[in-house]
mmCIF file of all heavy atoms in Angstrom:
data_model
loop_
_atom_site.group_PDB
_atom_site.id
_atom_site.type_symbol
_atom_site.label_atom_id
_atom_site.label_comp_id
_atom_site.label_asym_id
_atom_site.label_seq_id
_atom_site.Cartn_x
_atom_site.Cartn_y
_atom_site.Cartn_z
ATOM 1 N N LEU F 453 -9.666 51.488 -28.418
ATOM 2 C CA LEU F 453 -9.468 52.926 -28.899
ATOM 3 C C LEU F 453 -9.523 53.842 -27.756
ATOM 4 O O LEU F 453 -10.409 53.858 -26.960
ATOM 5 C CB LEU F 453 -10.589 53.260 -29.806
ATOM 6 C CG LEU F 453 -10.504 54.455 -30.832
ATOM 7 C CD1 LEU F 453 -11.323 54.355 -32.032
ATOM 8 C CD2 LEU F 453 -10.727 55.725 -30.091
ATOM 9 N N TYR F 454 -8.374 54.631 -27.486
ATOM 10 C CA TYR F 454 -8.257 55.446 -26.352
ATOM 11 C C TYR F 454 -8.544 56.857 -26.756
ATOM 12 O O TYR F 454 -7.938 57.307 -27.907
ATOM 13 C CB TYR F 454 -6.774 55.317 -25.739
ATOM 14 C CG TYR F 454 -6.458 54.075 -25.155
ATOM 15 C CD1 TYR F 454 -5.636 53.153 -25.829
ATOM 16 C CD2 TYR F 454 -7.065 53.528 -23.946
ATOM 17 C CE1 TYR F 454 -5.251 51.996 -25.387
ATOM 18 C CE2 TYR F 454 -6.762 52.275 -23.468
ATOM 19 C CZ TYR F 454 -5.812 51.535 -24.215
ATOM 20 O OH TYR F 454 -5.539 50.274 -23.714
ATOM 21 N N VAL F 455 -9.254 57.633 -25.952
ATOM 22 C CA VAL F 455 -9.412 59.125 -26.217
ATOM 23 C C VAL F 455 -9.067 59.780 -24.895
ATOM 24 O O VAL F 455 -9.096 59.142 -23.716
ATOM 25 C CB VAL F 455 -10.641 59.467 -26.626
ATOM 26 C CG1 VAL F 455 -10.932 58.911 -27.978
ATOM 27 C CG2 VAL F 455 -11.757 58.984 -25.780
ATOM 28 N N PRO F 456 -8.621 61.128 -24.847
ATOM 29 C CA PRO F 456 -8.478 61.781 -23.603
ATOM 30 C C PRO F 456 -9.686 61.810 -22.830
ATOM 31 O O PRO F 456 -10.915 61.944 -23.315
ATOM 32 C CB PRO F 456 -8.067 63.224 -24.105
ATOM 33 C CG PRO F 456 -7.666 63.088 -25.447
ATOM 34 C CD PRO F 456 -8.352 61.889 -26.054
ATOM 35 N N TYR F 457 -9.656 61.739 -21.555
ATOM 36 C CA TYR F 457 -10.783 61.704 -20.611
ATOM 37 C C TYR F 457 -11.597 62.998 -20.837
ATOM 38 O O TYR F 457 -12.824 62.987 -20.918
ATOM 39 C CB TYR F 457 -10.382 61.455 -19.187
ATOM 40 C CG TYR F 457 -11.558 61.507 -18.187
ATOM 41 C CD1 TYR F 457 -12.346 60.382 -18.038
ATOM 42 C CD2 TYR F 457 -11.813 62.733 -17.493
ATOM 43 C CE1 TYR F 457 -13.395 60.360 -17.166
ATOM 44 C CE2 TYR F 457 -12.931 62.677 -16.675
ATOM 45 C CZ TYR F 457 -13.716 61.551 -16.537
ATOM 46 O OH TYR F 457 -14.680 61.561 -15.585
ATOM 47 N N SER F 458 -10.865 64.145 -20.852
ATOM 48 C CA SER F 458 -11.570 65.395 -20.866
ATOM 49 C C SER F 458 -12.316 65.635 -22.090
ATOM 50 O O SER F 458 -13.562 65.986 -22.129
ATOM 51 C CB SER F 458 -10.570 66.515 -20.784
ATOM 52 O OG SER F 458 -9.575 66.308 -21.779
ATOM 53 N N THR F 459 -11.753 65.145 -23.233
ATOM 54 C CA THR F 459 -12.512 65.091 -24.612
ATOM 55 C C THR F 459 -13.791 64.291 -24.513
ATOM 56 O O THR F 459 -14.893 64.717 -24.922
ATOM 57 C CB THR F 459 -11.538 64.637 -25.673
ATOM 58 O OG1 THR F 459 -10.291 65.278 -25.535
ATOM 59 C CG2 THR F 459 -12.155 65.021 -27.010
ATOM 60 N N ALA F 460 -13.708 63.105 -23.984
ATOM 61 C CA ALA F 460 -14.763 62.100 -23.903
ATOM 62 C C ALA F 460 -15.882 62.791 -23.084
ATOM 63 O O ALA F 460 -17.031 62.650 -23.554
ATOM 64 C CB ALA F 460 -14.244 60.765 -23.345
ATOM 65 N N VAL F 461 -15.538 63.316 -21.994
ATOM 66 C CA VAL F 461 -16.532 63.916 -21.151
ATOM 67 C C VAL F 461 -17.356 65.016 -21.801
ATOM 68 O O VAL F 461 -18.553 65.032 -21.782
ATOM 69 C CB VAL F 461 -16.016 64.317 -19.805
ATOM 70 C CG1 VAL F 461 -16.989 65.286 -18.989
ATOM 71 C CG2 VAL F 461 -15.465 63.127 -19.011
ATOM 72 N N SER F 462 -16.588 65.858 -22.512
ATOM 73 C CA SER F 462 -17.228 67.040 -23.020
ATOM 74 C C SER F 462 -17.804 66.678 -24.393
ATOM 75 O O SER F 462 -18.944 67.348 -24.808
ATOM 76 C CB SER F 462 -16.240 68.142 -23.247
ATOM 77 O OG SER F 462 -15.173 67.684 -24.077
ATOM 78 N N ARG F 463 -17.345 65.689 -25.155
ATOM 79 C CA ARG F 463 -17.861 65.503 -26.567
ATOM 80 C C ARG F 463 -18.645 64.218 -26.808
ATOM 81 O O ARG F 463 -19.429 64.097 -27.684
ATOM 82 C CB ARG F 463 -16.784 65.643 -27.552
ATOM 83 C CG ARG F 463 -16.112 66.983 -27.299
ATOM 84 C CD ARG F 463 -15.161 67.425 -28.304
ATOM 85 N NE ARG F 463 -15.704 67.274 -29.694
ATOM 86 C CZ ARG F 463 -14.970 67.700 -30.647
ATOM 87 N NH1 ARG F 463 -13.670 67.932 -30.605
ATOM 88 N NH2 ARG F 463 -15.402 67.593 -31.989
ATOM 89 N N LEU F 464 -18.292 63.238 -25.974
ATOM 90 C CA LEU F 464 -18.965 61.826 -26.229
ATOM 91 C C LEU F 464 -19.767 61.418 -25.088
ATOM 92 O O LEU F 464 -20.441 60.479 -25.177
ATOM 93 C CB LEU F 464 -17.916 60.925 -26.353
ATOM 94 C CG LEU F 464 -16.837 61.004 -27.648
ATOM 95 C CD1 LEU F 464 -15.763 60.128 -27.597
ATOM 96 C CD2 LEU F 464 -17.707 60.909 -29.021
ATOM 97 N N ALA F 465 -19.840 62.325 -23.963
ATOM 98 C CA ALA F 465 -20.641 61.786 -22.817
ATOM 99 C C ALA F 465 -22.023 61.418 -23.171
ATOM 100 O O ALA F 465 -22.767 62.074 -23.987
ATOM 101 C CB ALA F 465 -20.699 62.914 -21.844
ATOM 102 N N GLN F 466 -22.396 60.178 -22.718
ATOM 103 C CA GLN F 466 -23.769 59.688 -23.208
ATOM 104 C C GLN F 466 -24.591 59.284 -21.989
ATOM 105 O O GLN F 466 -25.679 59.091 -22.112
ATOM 106 C CB GLN F 466 -23.433 58.372 -23.915
ATOM 107 C CG GLN F 466 -22.588 57.394 -23.099
ATOM 108 C CD GLN F 466 -22.097 56.294 -23.928
ATOM 109 O OE1 GLN F 466 -21.241 55.564 -23.426
ATOM 110 N NE2 GLN F 466 -22.592 56.047 -25.082
ATOM 111 N N ARG F 467 -23.813 59.409 -20.741
ATOM 112 C CA ARG F 467 -24.713 59.028 -19.654
ATOM 113 C C ARG F 467 -25.327 60.220 -18.920
ATOM 114 O O ARG F 467 -24.555 60.792 -18.161
ATOM 115 C CB ARG F 467 -23.933 58.163 -18.679
ATOM 116 C CG ARG F 467 -23.242 57.048 -19.316
ATOM 117 C CD ARG F 467 -22.504 56.230 -18.193
ATOM 118 N NE ARG F 467 -21.414 55.461 -18.876
ATOM 119 C CZ ARG F 467 -20.469 54.784 -18.018
ATOM 120 N NH1 ARG F 467 -20.455 54.914 -16.725
ATOM 121 N NH2 ARG F 467 -19.596 54.085 -18.571
ATOM 122 N N SER F 468 -26.349 60.605 -19.282
ATOM 123 C CA SER F 468 -26.952 61.940 -18.765
ATOM 124 C C SER F 468 -27.318 61.708 -17.216
ATOM 125 O O SER F 468 -27.616 60.573 -16.921
ATOM 126 C CB SER F 468 -28.155 62.389 -19.548
ATOM 127 O OG SER F 468 -29.095 61.346 -19.583
ATOM 128 N N GLY F 469 -27.205 62.825 -16.580
ATOM 129 C CA GLY F 469 -27.617 62.646 -15.215
ATOM 130 C C GLY F 469 -26.613 62.079 -14.231
ATOM 131 O O GLY F 469 -26.795 61.833 -13.050
ATOM 132 N N GLU F 470 -25.369 61.817 -14.847
ATOM 133 C CA GLU F 470 -24.398 61.167 -14.026
ATOM 134 C C GLU F 470 -23.609 62.330 -13.308
ATOM 135 O O GLU F 470 -23.491 63.485 -13.754
ATOM 136 C CB GLU F 470 -23.448 60.428 -14.788
ATOM 137 C CG GLU F 470 -23.976 58.931 -14.986
ATOM 138 C CD GLU F 470 -22.866 58.017 -15.596
ATOM 139 O OE1 GLU F 470 -21.847 58.600 -15.889
ATOM 140 O OE2 GLU F 470 -23.055 56.901 -15.561
ATOM 141 N N ALA F 471 -23.027 61.953 -12.236
ATOM 142 C CA ALA F 471 -22.113 63.005 -11.461
ATOM 143 C C ALA F 471 -21.012 63.408 -12.469
ATOM 144 O O ALA F 471 -20.502 62.626 -13.183
ATOM 145 C CB ALA F 471 -21.455 62.305 -10.343
ATOM 146 N N PRO F 472 -20.674 64.700 -12.318
ATOM 147 C CA PRO F 472 -19.606 65.127 -13.310
ATOM 148 C C PRO F 472 -18.268 64.524 -12.953
ATOM 149 O O PRO F 472 -17.977 64.124 -11.806
ATOM 150 C CB PRO F 472 -19.494 66.671 -12.920
ATOM 151 C CG PRO F 472 -20.168 66.829 -11.497
ATOM 152 C CD PRO F 472 -21.084 65.723 -11.374
ATOM 153 N N ASN F 473 -17.441 64.248 -14.049
ATOM 154 C CA ASN F 473 -16.118 63.712 -13.790
ATOM 155 C C ASN F 473 -16.135 62.253 -13.172
ATOM 156 O O ASN F 473 -15.219 61.861 -12.618
ATOM 157 C CB ASN F 473 -15.236 64.644 -13.017
ATOM 158 C CG ASN F 473 -14.770 65.802 -13.787
ATOM 159 O OD1 ASN F 473 -14.897 65.762 -15.128
ATOM 160 N ND2 ASN F 473 -14.334 66.925 -13.133
ATOM 161 N N ARG F 474 -17.203 61.606 -13.389
ATOM 162 C CA ARG F 474 -17.238 60.214 -12.918
ATOM 163 C C ARG F 474 -16.283 59.310 -13.787
ATOM 164 O O ARG F 474 -16.160 59.545 -14.841
ATOM 165 C CB ARG F 474 -18.766 59.654 -13.065
ATOM 166 C CG ARG F 474 -18.912 58.350 -12.560
ATOM 167 C CD ARG F 474 -20.270 57.863 -13.101
ATOM 168 N NE ARG F 474 -20.679 56.609 -12.486
ATOM 169 C CZ ARG F 474 -20.150 55.382 -12.697
ATOM 170 N NH1 ARG F 474 -19.266 55.453 -13.670
ATOM 171 N NH2 ARG F 474 -20.499 54.354 -12.046
ATOM 172 N N VAL F 475 -15.802 58.335 -13.120
ATOM 173 C CA VAL F 475 -14.871 57.432 -13.825
ATOM 174 C C VAL F 475 -15.293 55.993 -13.356
ATOM 175 O O VAL F 475 -15.937 55.828 -12.394
ATOM 176 C CB VAL F 475 -13.367 57.604 -13.424
ATOM 177 C CG1 VAL F 475 -12.984 58.959 -13.876
ATOM 178 C CG2 VAL F 475 -13.099 57.450 -11.944
ATOM 179 N N ASP F 476 -14.978 55.038 -14.262
ATOM 180 C CA ASP F 476 -15.239 53.619 -13.888
ATOM 181 C C ASP F 476 -14.181 53.011 -12.898
ATOM 182 O O ASP F 476 -14.573 52.111 -12.093
ATOM 183 C CB ASP F 476 -15.294 52.846 -15.077
ATOM 184 C CG ASP F 476 -16.500 53.191 -16.000
ATOM 185 O OD1 ASP F 476 -17.602 53.563 -15.345
ATOM 186 O OD2 ASP F 476 -16.532 52.993 -17.195
ATOM 187 N N MET F 477 -12.991 53.370 -13.204
ATOM 188 C CA MET F 477 -11.949 52.751 -12.412
ATOM 189 C C MET F 477 -10.834 53.773 -12.222
ATOM 190 O O MET F 477 -10.431 54.512 -13.155
ATOM 191 C CB MET F 477 -11.437 51.521 -13.168
ATOM 192 C CG MET F 477 -10.262 50.687 -12.442
ATOM 193 S SD MET F 477 -10.010 49.081 -13.203
ATOM 194 C CE MET F 477 -9.095 49.610 -14.636
ATOM 195 N N ILE F 478 -10.089 53.720 -11.064
ATOM 196 C CA ILE F 478 -8.867 54.414 -10.883
ATOM 197 C C ILE F 478 -7.749 53.421 -10.688
ATOM 198 O O ILE F 478 -7.946 52.379 -9.985
ATOM 199 C CB ILE F 478 -8.895 55.256 -9.499
ATOM 200 C CG1 ILE F 478 -10.118 56.280 -9.602
ATOM 201 C CG2 ILE F 478 -7.665 55.888 -9.219
ATOM 202 C CD1 ILE F 478 -10.439 56.997 -8.224
ATOM 203 N N VAL F 479 -6.689 53.741 -11.381
ATOM 204 C CA VAL F 479 -5.649 52.720 -11.315
ATOM 205 C C VAL F 479 -4.426 53.516 -10.634
ATOM 206 O O VAL F 479 -4.115 54.634 -11.076
ATOM 207 C CB VAL F 479 -5.095 52.232 -12.664
ATOM 208 C CG1 VAL F 479 -4.047 51.212 -12.431
ATOM 209 C CG2 VAL F 479 -6.249 51.700 -13.425
ATOM 210 N N ALA F 480 -3.949 53.029 -9.508
ATOM 211 C CA ALA F 480 -2.829 53.784 -8.852
ATOM 212 C C ALA F 480 -1.593 52.741 -8.864
ATOM 213 O O ALA F 480 -1.749 51.551 -8.646
ATOM 214 C CB ALA F 480 -3.254 54.035 -7.370
ATOM 215 N N SER F 481 -0.561 53.383 -8.978
ATOM 216 C CA SER F 481 0.782 52.671 -8.824
ATOM 217 C C SER F 481 1.412 52.943 -7.507
ATOM 218 O O SER F 481 1.662 54.160 -7.319
ATOM 219 C CB SER F 481 1.586 52.856 -10.000
ATOM 220 O OG SER F 481 1.953 54.154 -10.158
ATOM 221 N N ALA F 482 1.790 51.999 -6.755
ATOM 222 C CA ALA F 482 2.570 52.227 -5.569
ATOM 223 C C ALA F 482 4.037 52.490 -5.937
ATOM 224 O O ALA F 482 4.493 52.000 -7.046
ATOM 225 C CB ALA F 482 2.445 51.041 -4.525
ATOM 226 N N VAL F 483 4.739 53.128 -5.005
ATOM 227 C CA VAL F 483 6.142 53.412 -5.430
ATOM 228 C C VAL F 483 7.040 52.115 -5.606
ATOM 229 O O VAL F 483 7.908 52.118 -6.337
ATOM 230 C CB VAL F 483 6.854 54.254 -4.225
ATOM 231 C CG1 VAL F 483 6.336 55.720 -4.361
ATOM 232 C CG2 VAL F 483 6.674 53.677 -2.868
ATOM 233 N N SER F 484 6.588 51.066 -4.936
ATOM 234 C CA SER F 484 7.207 49.765 -5.099
ATOM 235 C C SER F 484 6.241 48.680 -4.738
ATOM 236 O O SER F 484 5.204 48.992 -4.206
ATOM 237 C CB SER F 484 8.473 49.583 -4.303
ATOM 238 O OG SER F 484 8.047 49.473 -2.879
ATOM 239 N N ALA F 485 6.617 47.407 -5.229
ATOM 240 C CA ALA F 485 5.728 46.250 -4.783
ATOM 241 C C ALA F 485 5.457 46.125 -3.356
ATOM 242 O O ALA F 485 4.410 45.870 -2.912
ATOM 243 C CB ALA F 485 6.236 45.034 -5.516
ATOM 244 N N SER F 486 6.489 46.257 -2.496
ATOM 245 C CA SER F 486 6.346 46.195 -1.091
ATOM 246 C C SER F 486 5.656 47.290 -0.419
ATOM 247 O O SER F 486 5.125 47.193 0.665
ATOM 248 C CB SER F 486 7.748 46.069 -0.517
ATOM 249 O OG SER F 486 8.428 47.215 -0.852
ATOM 250 N N ALA F 487 5.409 48.395 -1.175
ATOM 251 C CA ALA F 487 4.640 49.544 -0.597
ATOM 252 C C ALA F 487 3.120 49.443 -0.860
ATOM 253 O O ALA F 487 2.325 50.251 -0.477
ATOM 254 C CB ALA F 487 5.124 50.926 -1.218
#
Side-chain angles (χ1 to χ4, degrees):
Chain F
L453 197 154
Y454 298 107
V455 295
Y457 178 80
S458 53
T459 318
V461 168
S462 60
R463 306 191 50 184
L464 297 171
Q466 56 191 166
R467 308 181 201 170
S468 56
E470 277 193 346
N473 288 342
R474 182 191 189 286
V475 298
D476 288 335
M477 181 170 78
I478 299 172
V479 187
S481 62
V483 288
S484 69
S486 58

